[in-house]
Amino acid sequence: MTTPPSKAGTKGVPRAERERQVLAAATEEFGRNGYEATTMAAVAARVGVTKPLLHQYFGGKQDLYLACLDPVGDRLLGAVRTAMAAPSAEAPPTPLRVLDALFHALDGQREAWFVLYDPTLPPDSDAARRAAHYRGAIDDLAATGTADLLHTAGSGDPLDADALKYAWRGLCTALVRWWIGHPEQSPDAMTRRCGRILAAAWAVGGAVRLDGEES
């Protein structure tokens, strides 16, 4: 949506600032409650504006969702791409770099993860297609990373890589959900915690050969 030049909004608040407030509130509403349960009235009430003004600024509910989704999708996709760029020799393993990038990208707006990964989006809608575009791009990066990880471990089975890709998405979602319930945890603290968890998982995995027999 093309934003007109900034001018006074409600109660003397400039329009650009009011739109920023609406997007922040809507992102939290969509992230917490899902697309299906989020209402324009609830978003308007949180910001302190009227529902007609919300429609005037953003159109319908799907338009508002898309206005929230694009910044979230761009931010998360960019974070993953940067984390997977060629690392230095001293850099942490790729999975930990990606998690660290995601935590910092979501800092201050943790519910935004569930704007992108929302199972309640209407099928065959513009909202579902746009979210699928971002998820697909992130999945493509995850597929590359998991295939490289398994190749290093001696597995060339493409189904192993595909299974790990889906497991990785589930792990990220579970970690973000846990993080939302622990607001005192900073991004850096979450990265350190994940480092310990991954180290423990790798230690257990290292004790089992790829054919399923203990080493």
Side-chain angles (χ1 to χ4, degrees):
M1 183 186 74
T2 301
T3 303
S6 178
K7 59 182 180 180
T10 57
K11 300 180 181 178
V13 178
R15 174 163 180 164
E17 174 60 17
R18 185 62 85 193
E19 288 183 349
R20 186 198 66 77
Q21 293 172 354
V22 169
L23 289 175
T27 297
E28 188 170 342
E29 286 288 321
F30 284 125
R32 284 185 175 180
N33 304 316
Y35 182 92
E36 185 176 353
T38 296
T39 66
M40 297 289 277
V43 175
R46 285 195 56 169
V47 182
V49 299
T50 64
K51 186 177 171 183
L53 184 74
L54 200 59
H55 283 288
Q56 176 188 337
Y57 280 9
F58 290 97
K61 178 171 146 178
Q62 180 170 243
D63 299 314
L64 178 58
Y65 170 82
L66 291 170
C68 295
L69 172 67
D70 282 339
V72 170
D74 289 340
R75 188 163 75 247
L76 293 177
L77 181 56
V80 175
R81 281 176 174 160
T82 300
M84 292 186 65
S88 65
E90 300 78 20
T94 301
L96 196 58
R97 295 200 314 274
V98 170
L99 287 171
D100 181 69
L102 290 176
F103 293 141
H104 280 88
L106 291 168
D107 191 28
Q109 202 175 46
R110 300 178 188 186
E111 294 85 358
W113 177 268
F114 297 99
V115 173
L116 179 55
Y117 292 94
D118 183 351
T120 74
L121 294 174
D124 299 323
S125 65
D126 288 344
R129 284 188 288 270
R130 188 63 177 162
H133 163 76
Y134 283 113
R135 291 197 301 266
I138 292 173
D139 279 351
D140 287 344
L141 292 172
T144 300
T146 52
D148 289 346
L149 183 65
L150 288 170
H151 179 74
T152 301
S155 172
D157 188 335
L159 288 180
D160 284 355
D162 191 56
L164 182 55
K165 178 186 72 175
Y166 283 95
W168 175 254
R169 181 198 289 184
L171 174 63
C172 291
T173 298
L175 287 169
V176 172
R177 195 179 300 280
W178 186 90
W179 191 30
I180 290 172
H182 295 78
E184 77 286 355
Q185 296 290 304
S186 69
D188 289 337
M190 284 297 296
T191 300
R192 291 192 296 270
R193 188 175 306 282
C194 289
R196 295 192 294 271
I197 293 171
L198 291 176
W202 287 329
V204 172
V208 178
R209 289 166 42 184
L210 289 177
D211 58 10
E213 297 178 4
E214 292 186 2
S215 58

